[in-house]
Amino acid sequence: MRPSAPYDTVGPFKRRLQRSRKKILALLFLIPAVAIFGIFLWYPIYLGIKIGFVNYDLVKDPVFVGMDNYKTVLNDPLLGKAIWNTTKYMAYGLVIGYFLPILVAVWIAEMRRYQNFFRMAVYIPAVLPGIAIYTLWRWMYEPQGLLNTWLGYIGIHGIPWITSGTWSMFSMVLMDTWAGFGSTAILYIAALGAISEETYEAAEIDGAGVWKRIFHITIPGMKNVMLVLLVLQLIGSAQAFQSMFVVTEGGPNNSTLTVLYLIYRYAFVYFKFGPAAALGTLFFITLASLSAIYMLLNRKQEGL
């Protein structure tokens, strides 16, 4: 004989009421986060887009000028220079800053001893204040600084790291790569930890050497993470500003003037907030497109 179902002491109306209360409580907890995002993120974005259509100098009342601010920045000869410098910075960053964390992560993962020590060592630059790092590297880049002193021992003399337009952007990328590659390497090391140890053991039993394990197990195992971090690398390098601001001030001869630095000049050097907001809006649209690509790649990775 089948036992009878227990008596339902809670009616359907009360169950719906309880679920509604839980949803309302969850929404109440979300209100502070939504308010913070709205006040400190979305409202400034809206205000920036709005200022891009007015003439505003913090003294006079805003005057609507339509697309004049966009015409001003698009006709500025420095804009092409800034876009080229930003593109160059991104390209140098891909060649140097993108592959270096991968190499370091693979090297640490292949080590049999002292892994924890080297994980800590590569992450140390990421916790140092940016201003301290840039001040240190500016001293190292001096004509008689540490780098030129070291290079003098092997017969290379007097590289103008930050005083020549040929070397200045490369110097910025080299400095920023040293400052930030450790945190990215830690992400790759975490991705490597997700690869099964049995796979490596089976490869070793089959006679696979270090390079075969790297190219046939390690790199394919990090492929999705590498794609996502590639987009993040592009987004981050497109926003290059702090190192140029501290070390070169956009020079020499605007050779390290990036798009973000040009926006800063419009706003806080020329006090032309309308063109600054217009260029910021165009820059925001570009970065939003890269972010959309990142989200698609991230969603694909989660689906896998």
Side-chain angles (χ1 to χ4, degrees):
M1 181 176 180
R2 296 181 58 187
S4 59
Y7 180 71
D8 189 2
T9 57
V10 181
F13 175 76
K14 287 186 177 181
R15 285 198 298 271
R16 287 196 296 269
L17 183 60
Q18 290 176 353
R19 287 196 294 267
S20 299
R21 287 177 178 175
K22 291 180 180 179
K23 292 179 180 179
I24 293 173
L25 185 62
L27 290 175
L28 290 176
F29 278 108
L30 285 175
I31 287 176
V34 173
I36 290 174
F37 270 91
I39 295 173
F40 296 103
L41 180 64
W42 294 112
Y43 179 70
I45 292 175
Y46 159 75
L47 199 59
I49 295 174
K50 182 179 178 181
I51 293 176
F53 294 99
V54 300
N55 186 9
Y56 185 53
D57 58 4
L58 293 180
V59 179
K60 301 177 183 178
D61 292 334
V63 178
F64 181 77
V65 294
M67 300 296 294
D68 287 352
N69 290 325
Y70 288 90
K71 294 178 182 178
T72 299
V73 298
L74 291 176
N75 291 325
D76 188 347
L78 285 179
L79 178 61
K81 181 74 171 178
I83 293 175
W84 169 247
N85 289 337
T86 304
T87 305
K88 187 193 298 185
Y89 182 89
M90 295 170 68
Y92 283 158
L94 286 179
V95 174
I96 302 173
Y98 178 68
F99 294 103
L100 181 60
I102 299 174
L103 296 175
V104 171
V106 172
W107 172 61
I108 294 177
E110 289 292 332
M111 295 177 65
R112 292 295 181 261
R113 302 173 63 186
Y114 307 116
Q115 279 195 8
N116 292 332
F117 169 78
F118 284 101
R119 287 176 184 176
M120 179 187 68
V122 299
Y123 191 71
I124 287 177
V127 301
L128 297 177
I131 298 300
I133 291 175
Y134 299 141
T135 303
L136 173 64
W137 275 84
R138 184 170 185 173
W139 169 74
M140 293 174 62
Y141 281 147
E142 292 293 330
Q144 304 301 324
L146 189 61
L147 287 181
N148 280 340
T149 301
W150 286 348
L151 292 174
Y153 294 144
I154 58 175
I156 302 176
H157 301 282
I159 294 181
W161 296 101
I162 57 176
T163 57
S164 167
T166 304
W167 286 92
S168 55
M169 188 59 76
F170 174 80
S171 301
M172 297 300 101
V173 174
L174 184 65
M175 175 177 58
D176 288 337
T177 298
W178 181 87
F181 86 95
S183 56
T184 307
I186 293 298
L187 295 177
Y188 283 122
I189 292 173
L192 289 174
I195 301 176
S196 173
E197 288 290 338
E198 287 78 8
T199 305
Y200 284 106
E201 292 174 0
E204 290 182 2
I205 293 173
D206 291 339
V210 174
W211 293 109
K212 286 187 177 180
R213 293 199 305 269
I214 291 174
F215 285 106
H216 296 285
I217 299 177
T218 303
I219 299 300
M222 294 194 305
K223 181 178 65 175
N224 293 325
V225 177
M226 290 170 61
L227 287 174
V228 172
L229 290 179
L230 172 62
V231 180
L232 291 179
Q233 167 91 16
L234 294 174
I235 294 173
S237 58
Q239 302 177 68
F241 167 75
Q242 189 174 0
S243 56
M244 293 77 176
F245 177 75
V246 175
V247 179
T248 62
E249 297 182 355
N253 195 25
N254 292 320
S255 61
T256 57
L257 177 68
T258 59
V259 175
L260 204 59
Y261 200 104
L262 183 60
I263 295 173
Y264 165 81
R265 281 189 178 178
Y266 269 120
F268 301 107
V269 178
Y270 311 140
F271 294 102
K272 296 180 179 180
F273 295 99
L279 184 55
T281 300
L282 297 175
F283 192 61
F284 166 74
I285 294 173
T286 303
L287 293 186
S289 301
L290 291 175
S291 299
I293 296 173
Y294 161 72
M295 293 177 65
L296 290 174
L297 292 174
N298 192 39
R299 185 175 301 176
K300 181 180 179 181
Q301 179 185 359
E302 291 177 353
L304 294 176

